[in-house]
């Protein structure tokens, strides 16, 4: 199911194969935790592998010294750019900033 979801999301086939192989290897090699049931353990492993493949670290937004700070989102149709833009705007507002969204299709 993970493989199909990633392929449907247009993730590169070689990346999907590497990701699924890493999950299988960790699932076979890891001892079962007594605190988690097997399903929870698989979810934990998938989460950790996703974090690792996406960079492994939380990134912070660096604001421009003089406003405005410009954030450009690029991606394929249906990739979630508009949703992400809305979530970022809400987060910026909660942090005390005044976001402005502009749609600029090419």
């Amino acid at each position: 199911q993970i493989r199909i979801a990633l392929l449907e999301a247009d993730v590169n086939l070689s990346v999907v194969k590497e990701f699924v192989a890493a999950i299988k290897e960790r699932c076979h090699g890891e001892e079962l935790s007594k605190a988690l049931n097997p399903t929870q353990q698989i979810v934990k492993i998938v989460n950790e592998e996703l974090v690792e493949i996406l960079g492994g670290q939380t990134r912070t937004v660096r604001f421009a010294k003089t406003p405005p700070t410009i954030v450009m989102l690029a991606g394929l149709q249906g990739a979630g750019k508009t949703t992400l833009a809305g979530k970022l705007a809400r987060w910026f507002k909660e942090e005390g900033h005044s976001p402005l969204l502009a749609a600029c299709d090419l």
Side-chain angles (χ1 to χ4, degrees), residues 47-59:
N47 181 57
E48 290 171 356
E49 288 296 323
L50 279 171
V51 168
E52 182 65 31
I53 203 167
L54 293 172
Q57 295 178 334
T58 302
R59 303 202 189 264

Side-chain angles (χ1 to χ4, degrees), residues 13-75:
L13 180 61
S14 63
V15 173
V16 172
K17 285 181 178 180
E18 181 182 324
F19 181 72
V20 171
I23 291 171
K24 283 182 181 179
E25 183 178 320
R26 284 202 46 201
C27 286
H28 290 298
E30 237 174 82
E31 294 182 28
L32 290 176
S33 168
K34 293 177 183 165
L36 301 174
N37 69 39
T39 302
Q40 291 171 324
Q41 196 147 10
I42 291 171
V43 170
K44 178 181 178 278
I45 290 170
V46 170
N47 181 57
E48 290 171 356
E49 288 296 323
L50 279 171
V51 168
E52 182 65 31
I53 203 167
L54 293 172
Q57 295 178 334
T58 302
R59 303 202 189 264
T60 58
V61 177
R62 293 187 340 208
F63 291 95
K65 292 178 184 174
T66 57
T69 297
I70 299 171
V71 177
M72 182 175 81
L73 302 174

